[in-house]
């Protein structure tokens, strides 16, 4: 970490659990590189709703923690799981010295029907507080552009407040490319009496079609001008990466300058795009 500005902020990087040994080896290399360059507060590892990645998430979390010596925060989604299942996962994490959990509802794959003791993330946060007290730092998800299934923006904010008051310590946002949405969200939280760090999730831009598909699924908006610009590059991936690095770095810098408490990088298990942004941040 090079600078005072960077020292004052919290940086973290997200991974997904690899399915193969080669994927795991690549992830180790990514984690080592990001540790050396960014020295993040923590790495986080995603979790498939309904427990579909239970083993792979657990293995990735414990291996990365051992290998890098960094704090690792497992994501835990509650939809499709029983209290007993989540209690036993949390017991295992506690035994491994895990101190931070990203507590989520998750999305069941469409067409899947599964028994669940939980309907929303606030119930998971309350469950962890009830059974584990303050042993875990709890991160929750926030949606500056409003969660795609929310009844409306006002109700979404009320639901976010309920989740925070259930015992969350901090939040990480869904990615966005419109920084006004983030700062309006922060203002609204303050007006609702919420006072917790809300770290912007940063998605590097490296491939337009994947980004467009994923953004449609999770309700993140790609502004028209940005879409048109990325479409215009067609298969010219080098130009997409160059432009994406410039644009996302500049947005990240503005977020930090305007008071965001840090950045959470959706690394997609690769170090290159995240490091391009990191290296462009002001010293
Ligand atoms: P909730 O907070 O429960 O909100 C979901 C919806 O329900 C919202 O529309 C909200 O307004 C509404 N709602 C909330 N509480 C109530 C209530 N008490 N009564 C009625 N309505 C309510 N998904 C995964 O499967 N695995 C992951 O590892 C993962 N990691 C993520 C990490 C981050 C940082 C983010 C931002 C998202 C992640 N997701 C992950 C996606 C997330 O699971 C989905 O967006 C999911 O649809 C909502 O999860 P949530 O925890 O925000 O749910």
């Amino acid at each position: 970490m090079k600078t005072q500005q960077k020292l004052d902020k919290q940086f973290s990087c997200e991974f997904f659990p690899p399915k193969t040994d080669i994927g795991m080896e690549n992830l180790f290399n990514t984690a080592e590189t990001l540790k050396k360059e960014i020295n993040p507060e923590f790495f986080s590892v995603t979790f498939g709703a309904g427990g579909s990645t239970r083993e792979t998430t657990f293995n990735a979390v414990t291996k990365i923690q051992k290998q890098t010596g960094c704090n690792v925060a497992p994501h835990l989604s509650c939809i499709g799981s029983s209290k007993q299942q989540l209690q036993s996962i949390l017991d295992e994490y506690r035994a491994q010295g895990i101190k931070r959990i990203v507590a989520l509802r998750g999305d069941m794959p469409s067409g899947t029907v599964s028994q669940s003791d939980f309907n929303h993330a606030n119930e998971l946060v309350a469950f962890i507080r009830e059974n584990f007290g303050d042993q875990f730092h709890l991160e929750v998800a926030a949606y500056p552009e409003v969660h795609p299934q929310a009844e409306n923006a006002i109700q979404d904010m009320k639901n976010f407040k309920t989740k925070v008051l259930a015992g969350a310590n901090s939040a990480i946002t869904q990615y966005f490319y419109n920084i006004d949405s983030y700062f309006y969200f922060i203002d609204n939280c303050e007006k609702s009496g919420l006072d917790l760090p809300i770290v912007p999730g940063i998605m590097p831009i490296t491939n337009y079609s994947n980004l467009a598909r994923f953004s449609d699924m999770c309700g993140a908006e790609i502004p028209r001008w940005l879409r048109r610009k990325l479409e215009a590059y067609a298969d010219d991936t080098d130009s997409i990466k160059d432009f994406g690095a410039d644009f996302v770095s500049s947005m990240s810098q503005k977020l930090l300058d305007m008071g965001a408490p840090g950045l959470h990088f959706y690394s997609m298990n690769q170090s290159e795009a995240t490091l391009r942004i990191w290296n462009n941040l002001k010293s």
Side-chain angles (χ1 to χ4, degrees), residues 3-217:
T3 69
Q4 192 54 42
Q5 187 205 356
K6 283 178 173 173
L7 277 172
D8 290 342
K9 307 280 183 176
Q10 175 187 291
F11 298 94
S12 50
C13 304
E14 181 170 314
F15 301 136
F16 58 84
K19 292 190 182 124
T20 62
D21 289 348
I22 293 177
M24 195 62 228
E25 208 177 306
N26 289 340
L27 181 54
F28 279 153
N29 294 334
T30 297
E32 286 291 2
T33 308
L34 293 173
K35 178 195 171 183
K36 193 164 135 252
E37 298 293 326
I38 300 181
N39 192 20
E41 179 78 18
F42 63 93
F43 291 121
S44 80
V45 182
T46 62
F47 183 89
S52 57
T53 66
R54 184 189 161 137
E55 296 295 322
T56 48
T57 297
F58 185 80
N59 289 341
V61 166
T62 49
K63 284 180 182 164
I64 293 166
Q65 188 194 32
K66 277 199 190 94
Q67 161 140 347
T68 63
C70 288
N71 294 320
V72 183
H75 294 209
L76 188 59
S77 58
C78 60
I79 197 83
S81 291
S82 68
K83 288 185 176 175
Q84 207 181 9
Q85 285 166 329
L86 295 190
Q87 174 83 37
S88 89
I89 296 175
L90 288 158
D91 283 339
E92 288 175 53
Y93 281 135
R94 183 172 52 179
Q96 295 293 326
I98 294 298
K99 299 268 188 284
R100 186 186 292 255
I101 301 281
V102 183
L104 302 148
R105 182 194 73 175
D107 291 310
M108 289 302 282
S110 56
T112 320
V113 184
S114 183
Q115 285 275 321
S116 182
D117 282 344
F118 303 86
N119 294 310
H120 293 287
N122 66 290
E123 296 161 27
L124 175 61
V125 172
F127 174 78
I128 297 175
R129 287 293 176 235
E130 208 176 295
N131 292 282
F132 295 88
D134 287 334
Q135 293 178 56
F136 294 111
H137 177 113
L138 296 184
E139 301 274 355
V140 290
Y143 301 85
E145 295 182 332
V146 183
H147 184 267
Q149 292 155 5
E151 199 180 313
N152 59 51
I154 295 169
Q155 192 55 45
D156 205 32
M157 176 54 71
K158 284 186 185 158
N159 293 337
F160 180 69
K161 182 170 181 176
T162 303
K163 178 163 71 173
V164 171
L165 295 183
N169 300 99
S170 47
I172 302 170
T173 76
Q174 182 58 277
Y175 68 88
F176 53 85
Y177 296 111
N178 172 358
I179 66 173
D180 283 346
S181 67
Y182 172 78
F183 287 108
Y184 276 119
F185 183 77
I186 298 294
D187 277 356
N188 269 331
C189 287
E190 282 169 12
K191 283 179 192 146
S192 304
L194 296 180
D195 176 23
L196 77 167
I198 300 176
V199 173
I202 301 295
M203 180 67 88
I205 298 177
T206 56
N207 174 311
Y208 175 61
S209 52
N210 287 351
L211 182 72
R213 197 175 48 246
F214 194 56
S215 301
D216 283 348
M217 266 163 31

